[in-house]
């Protein structure tokens, strides 16, 4: 299993980081496998470990928490295409070259919203809609008065 974390930088660029071993500790301490020297990152923030079957992430009691796809986790299985957030940094998880398309979480959210939002077509301007005419004999009017 070949695992990379793709870091999204503030300027829009990306940097791909290969996990150095099957167990990778991320944190602020200089002896962590992936050192993030920011005060908002705990000394030993989280740990990624993988075998041939799965990639797992575990929070190591960090103050700020570890997030997968925007949700705080204590421990979780991570899949290709998931986003991991440690402090202010967001990484895309890439496993064995998947996903091929590397997009930021913001771009992914926009793409999902476009796919989920139904397109509403407006009626042509020359069409008019008939007025709804009600008379007092309509039974639901009585029900409305009881509310």
């Amino acid at each position: 299993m070949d695992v990379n974390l793709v870091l999204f930088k503030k300027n829009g660029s990306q940097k791909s980081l290969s996990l150095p071993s099957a167990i990778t500790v991320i944190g602020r301490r200089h002896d962590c496998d992936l050192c993030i020297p920011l005060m908002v990152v705990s000394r030993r923030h989280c740990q990624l470990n993988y075998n041939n079957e799965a990639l797992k992430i575990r929070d190591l009691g960090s103050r700020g928490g570890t997030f997968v796809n925007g949700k705080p986790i204590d421990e979780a299985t991570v899949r290709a295409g998931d986003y991991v957030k440690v402090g202010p940094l967001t990484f895309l998880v890439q496993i064995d070259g998947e996903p091929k398309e590397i997009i930021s979480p913001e771009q992914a959210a926009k793409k999902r919203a476009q796919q989920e939002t139904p397109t509403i077509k407006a009626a042509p301007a020359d069409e008019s809609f008939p007025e709804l005419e009600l008379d007092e004999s309509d039974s639901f009017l009585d029900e409305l008065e009881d509310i």
Side-chain angles (χ1 to χ4, degrees), residues 11-23:
N11 66 8
S13 66
Q14 304 163 1
K15 181 174 181 162
S16 183
L17 307 162
S18 292
L19 294 189
S21 64
I23 298 174

Side-chain angles (χ1 to χ4, degrees), residues 18-47:
S18 292
L19 294 189
S21 64
I23 298 174
T24 301
V25 176
I26 299 174
R28 189 176 75 229
R29 282 178 35 169
H30 71 285
D31 60 344
C32 288
D33 300 305
L34 180 55
C35 180
I36 302 172
L38 300 172
M39 289 304 293
V40 295
V41 175
S42 293
R43 289 181 191 100
R44 290 176 46 88
H45 199 98
C46 64
Q47 176 180 304

Side-chain angles (χ1 to χ4, degrees), residues 4-5 7 16 19 26 32-33 37-38 45 58 60 72 76 79 81 88 91 96 100 105 109 120 129 133 146-147:
N4 292 312
L5 297 179
L7 171 65
S16 183
L19 294 189
I26 299 174
C32 288
D33 300 305
L38 300 172
H45 199 98
R58 182 170 51 104
L60 298 174
R79 292 173 181 73
F91 302 91
D96 296 329
K100 289 182 181 9
I120 300 173
F129 292 94
E133 293 182 24
D146 293 338
I147 297 178

